[in-house]
Amino acid sequence: MSAKAMFVCPVVSGATPMFTPADSRNAVSNPTDAQAWRDAGNVFVGGNLRGLTSKLGYLHRLGVTAIWLSPVFKQVNADNSYHGYGIQNFFDVDPHFGTRDDLRDMVKTAHENGIRVVLDIILNHTGQVFVYDPDRYPTNDGQGNIFNDPRWDGNPYRVKGFRDAVGSPTLPFATVDAGANPSAFPDAAVWPAEFQDPSNFTQHGHINNFDFFPEFLDGDFFSLKDLHHGTRVLANGEDQIDEYVVSSTLVNLCQVYKFWIAFADLDGFRIDTVKHMDPGATRFFAGVIHEFAESLGKENFYLIAEITGGRDRAYNTREITGVDAVLGIDDVQDKLEYLTKGFRNPADYFDLFRNSLQVRADSHVWFRDKVVTMTDDHDQIRKGNNKGRFCAADRGSDLVIAMLGLNAATMGIPCIYYGTEQAFDGAGSGDGCDRFIRESMFGGKFGAFRTRNRHFFNESHPAFVELRKMLALRETEPALRRGRQFLRPISGDGVNFGLPAMVGSELRSVVPWSRIFVDDELVCAINTDPDNDRSAWVTIDDSLHKAGEKLTCLYSSSAAQAGTQVAVEARNGKAVNITVPKGGFAVFK
């Protein structure tokens, strides 16, 4: 069977049954099983690159045009860092995920079917490849044991040594002598050997204050070891960086990731923890990678930077460093989620895309390909220790189609975290709660909805079905990808118009907006009421329409509404009266 042929229809063979609602909580029926399910979420639970290749048809039929693949590099053997951010060997794929050739084959198959691949990479740190020998900050572990805590204070710490294959710091903290330590490769220290010189690491202990300069730049991200990218020269001794001198560490990181572009034929990188890197380091990397990609004929190789925190920092960093787009902006994700749930004013979300002067852009359409928009993601920093997917609370499962419509049809690069199209509802609180938003789709011991041994590739799920229609419409209507964007006033009586807004602490209403490209206007709307269909008069562009003409419903989450028409009337300039299904989404043209 050819790679293209496998994408025609869903695979129905296989030993793992598809999830049904009756399977919910089949892994947590008693305390022992529930603990086993929770524990499974802290380690590798299966899934590999060949499996992903076999599921590209599922993504293709959904309408996905690019995938963001979490890191696949070899991890520290002793740590079970299933998430991929604890690298021990930058030049190899972790055997849990497969081989280099498996990665290359996956990308080739994706390309044959019109899907680009963006690989998640790490420049800021390695895994926990060495152990400190701290001499200060005695701390009680709560069980009567005292240990010294290697927290950042601006000064370096002693190091016991590189960790061996079982995680003990038995190797000298220096370039590994392969003759004296034949077992060091492949599971000990850090590889390639160029990264074994101690000067590659800042060695300043872990970050306590994630917003204090220069702590958030030079400290370790929890147990992950910070890499030394270069030396900053401060203007007048302040925190303004006047000059940045690049280190050999950063040069070698560039060589590593140039290799992966050429070897696997990748289309872009998502760069992790950019907030914790000097802008000069990010700028150097972006310039080198863009130039190398262009030399291979990749004129649009995309660099997407994860920059947590407010949008000011994100937009300024994008402009300074030359990356192509940013993600992880907390107020974008917050307002996208809670507008849909009726707990944010619509203007608060739509105004995020209007302040073009703030980012020195001529038009708010600047945002269309420079900001990644999403609700669910793999660590949800914005929610602190109370993390949960969109569908975990506040009637999210009844409003998920509205959220997907808002995400797909507003400005930015829409990103769907895996499982959202199946209404995954993972949530947790306290330490280690990341695992609860990283459920398995393919079965195994840590499945979604507190299950085991069930898969979730259900192409009949309502969220999957509706998202597929939305993405098909986005593909055929340029206004949904490129158009200007305007939140529209509404009216209940056709006379008194105003922007939709919360009444008290909630908003249960039609929320409409227009996307206009040249002379085409598409009127989009969600309904934040999960229980009732809602109707409203919606203002549209006065100059593009005449009284008496008709707008046709191109899409509705109620199939019976698709293809129906509404008349344009001379109200508040021009307006149409539309109905949006409960918790749903509709588009008119």
Side-chain angles (χ1 to χ4, degrees), residues 389-408:
R389 287 177 176 261
F390 180 88
C391 290
D394 304 316
R395 303 284 303 275
S397 58
D398 296 320
L399 291 160
V400 65
I401 291 171
M403 180 275 289
L404 292 170
L406 184 64
N407 196 6

Side-chain angles (χ1 to χ4, degrees), residues 456-531:
F456 298 88
F457 296 95
N458 180 5
E459 298 188 26
S460 297
H461 190 286
F464 182 100
V465 171
E466 297 307 319
L467 180 59
R468 177 170 56 196
K469 296 176 187 176
M470 296 174 199
L471 296 180
L473 185 64
R474 179 182 167 88
E475 181 68 21
T476 58
E477 294 290 342
L480 293 179
R481 304 190 308 276
R482 298 177 172 271
R484 291 165 283 143
Q485 177 171 286
F486 304 95
L487 177 64
R488 290 303 194 189
I490 61 173
S491 171
D493 60 10
V495 176
N496 300 293
F497 284 80
L499 292 177
M502 291 192 296
V503 177
S505 60
E506 288 189 348
L507 170 68
R508 301 302 168 200
S509 170
V510 170
V511 178
W513 65 97
S514 291
R515 299 297 302 274
I516 299 177
F517 187 63
V518 191
D519 294 329
D520 275 341
E521 177 175 16
L522 270 68
V523 180
C524 309
I526 63 169
N527 179 0
T528 64
D529 186 340
D531 296 313

Side-chain angles (χ1 to χ4, degrees), residues 203 419 452 456 561:
Q203 305 170 52
R452 60 186 172 213
F456 298 88
Q561 188 179 20

Side-chain angles (χ1 to χ4, degrees), residues 527-545:
N527 179 0
T528 64
D529 186 340
D531 296 313
N532 303 287
D533 296 353
R534 292 274 183 162
S535 299
W537 288 97
V538 175
T539 300
I540 58 177
D541 191 281
D542 189 39
S543 66
L544 294 178
H545 304 280

Side-chain angles (χ1 to χ4, degrees), residues 27-28 30-42 445-446 452:
V28 296
N30 61 67
T32 300
D33 286 353
Q35 187 60 52
W37 179 82
R38 289 191 292 269
D39 290 345
N42 279 327
K445 297 179 180 180
F446 191 69
R452 60 186 172 213

Side-chain angles (χ1 to χ4, degrees), residues 68 85 120-122 124-125 221 269-277 282 303-309 313-314 317 323 325-329 333 372 374 377-382 438:
W68 157 18
Y85 294 96
D120 203 328
I121 66 165
I122 301 93
N124 180 65
H125 53 259
F221 193 80
F269 289 144
R270 181 265 192 189
I271 310 172
D272 186 58
T273 50
V274 168
K275 172 185 173 179
H276 299 282
M277 295 171 54
T282 308
L303 295 177
I304 304 171
E306 183 212 24
I307 308 173
T308 55
R313 178 193 294 276
T317 301
V323 297
V326 295
L327 57 71
I329 303 173
Q333 292 182 252
V372 176
M374 59 199 303
D377 65 33
H378 66 289
D379 53 19
Q380 290 194 344
I381 293 172
R382 65 188 171 97
R438 299 173 179 176

Side-chain angles (χ1 to χ4, degrees), residues 19 24 52 74 94 100 116 129 141 143 163 176 197 202 204 210 233 258 270 302 323 356 391 421 442 490 517 539 567:
F19 170 82
S24 183
L52 173 57
K74 188 176 183 302
D94 194 280
R100 287 181 178 182
R116 297 187 178 187
V129 296
D141 66 359
Q143 298 180 350
R163 298 173 77 196
V176 174
D197 189 291
T202 58
H204 274 58
F210 280 78
V233 179
K258 285 160 66 174
R270 181 265 192 189
Y302 232 60
V323 297
S356 58
C391 290
E421 81 288 356
F442 47 78
I490 61 173
F517 187 63
T539 300

Side-chain angles (χ1 to χ4, degrees), residues 367-380:
F367 292 91
R368 71 175 178 84
D369 59 356
K370 297 179 178 64
V371 178
V372 176
T373 58
M374 59 199 303
T375 53
D376 294 339
D377 65 33
H378 66 289
D379 53 19
Q380 290 194 344

